[in-house]
Amino acid sequence: MVGLLKYLLIPFGILILLGAALVNVPAVQDLLLKRLMAAGIATVPGPDFDGLRVFMCGTSSPLPAPDRAQACVAVRAGNRLYLVDAGAGSARTLSLARIDLSQLRGVLLTHFHSDHIASLPDFNLNSWVAGRPDPLTVYGPVGVSQVVEGFNAAYALDTGYRVAHHGAELLPPELALMQSRIVAPGLVTEEDDLVITAYSADHFPVEPALLYRFDYRGRSVVISGDTLVNDSLIEAATDADLLLQDALSVPIIASLEEATAGNRVSKIFHDIPDYHAPTSDMERLLKATGVQQLALYHLVPPPMNFLLEKVFTRDLPAGVILTEDGMTFDLPAHSNDIIRY
């Protein structure tokens, strides 16, 4: 039997050696390279279902964590793609997922902390290169014009270089300039079956701050941005299918404050709980809203090991999800299903 196995394995060994040798041949390398690049660059087609697709392109807070970008959520309804916030690293996460950015209709900013706006120029550039047909609209509370005008000015030289290099026919310079739109609590946009509504967030001393609700063909998702649990959040999330809520672990932050006593950052850790929803409030939030699925993002701080995850989740009701970058929720139209992968 051993002899037979050796006899059968000889051809496989020869194939492995032959393959290893062929990889050193430039013509074979070029052939494999073409196939690899074609597979790697192809964008992922839009949803082959009717409903909302929610992609987590950033689940961290300003506190750094491996494999997590800062706050960003992508929402696709049919062939329309919107982003809520654009934290550092989130454009890379979305690009690596090969999502077609030519369909990006707008970015909805909840407020203007750096961890919610840092990747805005990257999304603008990437969607411009992808063939977005109109200027990128950036929605947000009062102050959004200052943010957009500042980024447009900062990237003016970059835009000029790219147009000079690749040509205005490929990269129309007018499409590189973001345009701002100030929104207040109330209707943001209504397009066919898609309705986006803004609500007030409680992130004092950051004022004004917003959160957003998407309704599309009988399905709904609410994205909190940064806010304490308040009446406005409860109103927005009542009977929603999916609520993406920022959350803070008081025990972990208190331990960080204690560990950094005498250091400048200790004061920052002391102040952070003032304007983020603690995990201990999640049960009250669930009961008050009746939301079908509560999922936490903008985790303060992102739990990076087994112990921290146990501490972070110990006050949470059963079924609450800690999101990760790249996690996707599909909400098929006129259904109660929420498919997570």
Side-chain angles (χ1 to χ4, degrees):
M1 184 65 176
V2 174
L4 178 61
L5 286 174
K6 288 182 179 180
Y7 177 77
L8 292 174
L9 289 174
I10 287 174
F12 291 104
I14 293 173
L15 288 174
I16 291 171
L17 291 173
L18 181 60
L22 287 174
V23 170
N24 291 316
V25 178
V28 175
Q29 293 173 354
D30 291 343
L31 176 62
L32 294 174
L33 183 63
K34 288 180 181 179
R35 294 184 177 180
L36 178 64
M37 291 300 103
I41 289 177
T43 57
V44 175
D48 54 1
F49 74 102
D50 186 15
L52 289 172
R53 172 164 291 171
V54 181
F55 178 83
M56 306 305 300
C57 38
T59 60
S60 183
S61 56
L63 299 175
D67 303 320
R68 288 185 188 268
Q70 293 175 351
C72 176
V73 180
V75 180
R76 185 188 292 277
N79 63 354
R80 291 159 295 198
L81 177 66
Y82 285 89
L83 302 177
V84 177
D85 290 329
S90 58
R92 178 183 60 190
T93 302
L94 200 64
S95 295
L96 290 174
R98 296 183 294 164
I99 292 174
D100 185 4
L101 283 174
S102 69
Q103 297 179 338
L104 182 59
R105 292 290 186 89
V107 180
L108 300 143
L109 298 179
T110 59
H111 63 292
F112 310 124
H113 266 145
S114 61
D115 60 309
H116 292 255
I117 67 173
S119 280
L120 193 55
D122 296 323
F123 282 117
N124 185 50
L125 170 62
N126 294 346
S127 58
W128 181 39
V129 170
R132 170 177 37 77
D134 301 298
L136 181 61
T137 300
V138 182
Y139 303 79
V142 173
V144 67
S145 299
Q146 180 180 347
V147 171
V148 168
E149 290 167 7
F151 276 131
N152 281 339
Y155 280 78
L157 293 175
D158 177 84
T159 297
Y161 301 149
R162 296 183 190 280
V163 173
H165 189 192
H166 303 294
E169 184 176 351
L170 180 68
L171 296 178
E174 66 274 12
L175 299 186
L177 291 173
M178 294 180 284
Q179 58 186 18
S180 61
R181 179 177 164 189
I182 298 173
V183 295
L187 180 66
V188 176
T189 186
E190 185 171 3
E191 310 170 43
D192 300 324
D193 293 331
L194 173 63
V195 177
I196 304 175
T197 309
Y199 295 80
S200 294
D202 183 359
H203 197 42
F204 184 82
V206 180
E207 290 185 318
L210 299 173
L211 58 99
Y212 296 97
R213 174 170 173 142
F214 292 73
D215 287 278
Y216 180 73
R217 300 195 179 182
R219 306 311 305 269
S220 54
V221 58
V222 176
I223 302 165
S224 74
D226 293 359
T227 184
L228 297 170
V229 175
N230 65 352
D231 291 342
S232 180
L233 172 61
I234 291 171
E235 178 187 357
T238 293
D239 297 327
D241 294 303
L242 174 64
L243 169 58
L244 295 170
Q245 172 66 38
D246 73 300
L248 174 142
S249 171
V250 172
I252 298 177
I253 292 297
S255 295
L256 287 170
E257 180 186 353
E258 182 180 355
T260 56
N263 188 300
R264 289 172 54 87
V265 298
S266 182
K267 175 65 164 62
I268 294 175
F269 288 128
H270 176 79
D271 294 340
I272 287 175
D274 291 349
Y275 60 5
H276 289 295
T279 55
S280 57
D281 275 358
M282 295 303 107
E283 184 170 3
R284 175 169 69 92
L285 180 60
L286 270 176
K287 289 179 179 178
T289 60
V291 67
Q292 182 181 345
Q293 178 63 67
L294 174 60
L296 307 183
Y297 84 121
H298 193 283
L299 307 174
V300 186
M304 292 185 286
N305 56 47
F306 179 77
L307 174 61
L308 292 179
E309 185 170 332
K310 283 295 183 183
V311 174
F312 202 102
T313 59
R314 68 188 181 192
D315 293 326
L316 296 178
V320 175
I321 295 169
L322 291 189
T323 62
E324 299 176 355
D325 285 22
M327 186 176 288
T328 303
F329 298 88
D330 278 352
L331 285 64
H334 307 298
S335 165
N336 292 319
D337 294 339
I338 299 178
I339 304 162
R340 174 169 58 96
Y341 54 95

